[in-house]
Amino acid sequence: MASTVPQEELPILEAVIKYTSSLLESAVPSLTRNYSIRNRLTALKKNRAEYVKASDVNSLYQSVVKQVNKLNDVRDDTTTYNNRLDTTLADVFSLLSLFYLTIGKTKDTLGTYCQIASMKQILNHMNESAVYNDADLAPFHRRLNELRNIIQHDKEHGKHPKPLIKLLERQLNECEAIVRTLQESLSVLPVELVPVHQKLVTIRRQLVALAAKEGSHKAELKPLQEELRKIESARVDGNFLGPGGIVPTSQALCSSLLEECFEISQEIKANEESKHVASSLKPIYDRLSGLRTELESLVLTHRWTLRETDLFNYSLSLQEIDKMRVDGKFVDSEGNRPPGQYVLLYMLRRCYGLIYRLLSSSEPVSEELMPIANKLSTVKKCLNEVLKYGGPFSARDLYPYQLALFQIDSMRQDGKFIGVDGTIPEGQGILMAHLNECHELVEMLRESMEEADDDDEEDIEDDEDYDEDDESDDEGPAEEKH
């Protein structure tokens, strides 16, 4: 529960909300200040009238930093604070972080904020479910190291104020602490039980994915239940045995996971005719189902349709649903725990995973340059396919690609792609690398086409020589007869 905002912090809270409104109005100028922040975010999500300008984002970021510095002046470092100002600041930095990704600053400290927050949500759910293995933790460990290098680089070069660096380092440390906790819980697992544990983790994931699907699951459920019975039959007196009949330690981790798998399979069977979840939880199910469908669609089309700030509303919606849980479970109006818990938790965690995937795949290219980047990517794929399958082809076949590259080349001014406001957007290096690669592919195709023409000319000359030899052979005997 958030505490009351102290009197001395109220002016800062008012200023932060004002700057948040200004940030949103910069993208949607027609909005009035009477709208709430959430309504402004909704309007921002739908707005595609103009590209986000880096100058506007940086200006508003500096304004927020001033308020953070004022906040540090009235607070001490030894006390943990959690009031409305803290939650508002978290929303502001999350939104600013998404804006940084939108303008292509993925390698900036502020751009890591939303990625760390998303990662922390997933790690907390993994810790709660206790369903993971070393292979699941390895990507998080690598990504945390990459983000730490970004923050450390900006810290050494003084790109951001110390309070922001300190905030990001603290959040990064919290994520690393969760990863270490998860790794330590697996380290107690004896070598003999590792294959069993990995198998049970896989089966459980298949079961919850099955529970979230529509329709009958008898055919898909049966082999999973048989595998569970096979694992169960390998136990002696309720214990998994190692080589030589020894009883390894730390049985509880595998035993509890096995019991949970049986429980999920029984719930799937019981809910075959009840639409997977109780009627009291149906609104939550429908909401999560809609969010998952939209996020899965964005995963497929994000290069063309996603503005990273769109993810802010999805994150808020998931946090609202997450807060509905009581002791980790969804309850009805009477405080009971209806069936369908595994389905809802699976869908919630699936949505968190999709958001993290979208954030991780964000490219260091400004939104303004993404159409050019996408066009270059398409041209490069087409050229690679042409080169892969070979000819014969003519200059006419290469003309569309050369025309597309000429059009892109003509967009540059002094070798740079310029924004509508005259600035140089992020992503110049990536675009130039793609453009040069496309030109090289075209040149390779032209060379192969010329080589093919030379070979044809040589074949024609060889044919002519062959014909001349035939004629001389025919004339020789005729002369001898005379």
Side-chain angles (χ1 to χ4, degrees), residues 20 79 136 163 189 300 303 340 366 399 478:
T20 307
T79 306
D136 298 323
L189 197 66
L300 296 175
R303 285 186 61 90
S366 171
Y399 178 74

Side-chain angles (χ1 to χ4, degrees), residues 392-416:
F393 46 82
S394 63
R396 184 188 294 269
D397 298 322
L398 296 182
Y399 178 74
Y401 307 113
Q402 291 173 313
L403 177 61
L405 295 177
F406 172 77
Q407 290 171 341
I408 294 173
D409 265 325
S410 63
M411 294 179 185
R412 294 190 294 160
Q413 298 178 21
D414 298 327
K416 301 286 186 182

Side-chain angles (χ1 to χ4, degrees), residues 48 94-95 97-104 106 114 302 305-315 358-359 361-367 370:
R48 289 293 185 275
S94 181
L95 182 57
S97 181
L98 291 169
F99 268 117
Y100 263 60
L101 295 184
T102 302
I103 61 177
T106 59
C114 56
H302 69 276
T305 61
L306 177 68
R307 173 182 280 182
E308 281 80 359
T309 47
D310 295 345
L311 299 177
F312 184 75
N313 280 2
Y314 289 110
S315 296
L358 288 165
L359 290 172
S361 62
S362 181
E363 298 183 48
V365 178
S366 171
E367 177 192 36
M370 277 307 294

Side-chain angles (χ1 to χ4, degrees), residues 39-56:
N39 287 338
R40 294 173 189 271
L41 285 168
T42 303
L44 176 64
K45 177 180 178 294
K46 297 178 180 179
N47 178 60
R48 289 293 185 275
E50 59 181 20
Y51 295 118
V52 177
K53 298 177 182 177
S55 57
D56 292 340

Side-chain angles (χ1 to χ4, degrees), residues 207-265:
L207 285 170
V208 293
L210 199 61
K213 289 173 63 177
E214 298 287 348
S216 177
H217 313 306
K218 291 180 180 179
E220 297 164 279
L221 181 62
K222 186 177 180 180
L224 295 176
Q225 288 180 314
E226 289 176 354
E227 286 199 55
L228 289 174
R229 294 191 190 101
K230 185 178 179 180
I231 295 172
E232 170 67 23
S233 64
R235 293 202 294 175
V236 177
D237 296 329
N239 292 318
F240 293 98
L241 300 181
I246 62 171
V247 179
T249 58
S250 303
Q251 296 275 329
L253 196 59
C254 288
S255 296
S256 61
L257 195 52
L258 177 62
E259 291 171 7
E260 191 175 4
C261 286
F262 274 118
E263 184 180 337
I264 298 172
S265 67

Side-chain angles (χ1 to χ4, degrees), residues 38 43 103 340 427 447:
R38 181 168 297 176
I103 61 177
E447 289 175 0

Side-chain angles (χ1 to χ4, degrees), residues 189-449:
L189 197 66
V191 177
E192 299 85 354
L193 295 184
V194 169
V196 178
H197 180 263
Q198 290 179 339
K199 187 67 177 176
L200 287 170
V201 168
T202 302
I203 292 175
R204 187 192 182 281
R205 286 178 178 160
Q206 292 173 328
L207 285 170
V208 293
L210 199 61
K213 289 173 63 177
E214 298 287 348
S216 177
H217 313 306
K218 291 180 180 179
E220 297 164 279
L221 181 62
K222 186 177 180 180
L224 295 176
Q225 288 180 314
E226 289 176 354
E227 286 199 55
L228 289 174
R229 294 191 190 101
K230 185 178 179 180
I231 295 172
E232 170 67 23
S233 64
R235 293 202 294 175
V236 177
D237 296 329
N239 292 318
F240 293 98
L241 300 181
I246 62 171
V247 179
T249 58
S250 303
Q251 296 275 329
L253 196 59
C254 288
S255 296
S256 61
L257 195 52
L258 177 62
E259 291 171 7
E260 191 175 4
C261 286
F262 274 118
E263 184 180 337
I264 298 172
S265 67
Q266 290 302 317
E267 182 171 322
I268 292 174
K269 290 180 66 177
N271 293 336
E272 278 290 328
E273 305 300 327
S274 61
K275 303 296 183 181
H276 306 290
V277 294
S279 57
S280 57
L281 297 182
K282 200 71 169 62
I284 302 175
Y285 173 84
D286 291 339
R287 191 175 176 189
L288 282 171
S289 180
L291 289 170
R292 186 179 72 166
T293 301
E294 291 177 17
L295 288 168
E296 286 176 341
S297 176
L298 283 175
V299 168
L300 296 175
T301 63
H302 69 276
R303 285 186 61 90
W304 297 271
T305 61
L306 177 68
R307 173 182 280 182
E308 281 80 359
T309 47
D310 295 345
L311 299 177
F312 184 75
N313 280 2
Y314 289 110
S315 296
L316 286 181
S317 297
L318 292 177
Q319 290 170 26
E320 289 174 7
I321 295 172
D322 216 346
K323 289 175 183 176
M324 294 178 185
R325 296 193 295 154
V326 178
D327 296 329
K329 302 291 184 182
F330 292 99
V331 297
D332 57 21
S333 57
E334 298 176 357
N336 300 318
R337 298 178 176 180
Q341 300 288 330
Y342 291 114
V343 175
L344 296 183
L345 285 173
Y346 165 77
M347 295 179 72
L348 179 62
R349 289 162 184 167
R350 170 72 174 161
C351 289
Y352 276 135
L354 290 169
I355 288 179
Y356 175 67
R357 182 175 172 184
L358 288 165
L359 290 172
S360 300
S361 62
S362 181
E363 298 183 48
V365 178
S366 171
E367 177 192 36
E368 195 168 358
L369 297 185
M370 277 307 294
I372 303 175
N374 291 334
K375 188 172 183 178
L376 280 170
S377 177
T378 302
V379 171
K380 187 170 74 171
K381 286 180 181 177
C382 292
L383 288 170
N384 277 316
E385 288 297 309
V386 172
L387 190 63
K388 177 181 176 182
Y389 292 103
F393 46 82
S394 63
R396 184 188 294 269
D397 298 322
L398 296 182
Y399 178 74
Y401 307 113
Q402 291 173 313
L403 177 61
L405 295 177
F406 172 77
Q407 290 171 341
I408 294 173
D409 265 325
S410 63
M411 294 179 185
R412 294 190 294 160
Q413 298 178 21
D414 298 327
K416 301 286 186 182
F417 293 98
I418 308 299
V420 292
D421 59 346
T423 59
I424 301 175
E426 293 286 329
Q428 301 287 329
I430 290 179
L431 261 63
M432 287 307 303
H434 286 328
L435 184 59
N436 291 335
E437 192 173 349
C438 287
H439 279 301
E440 289 174 5
L441 289 169
V442 169
E443 192 60 33
M444 289 171 65
L445 289 169
R446 289 177 61 184
E447 289 175 0
S448 64
M449 186 175 64

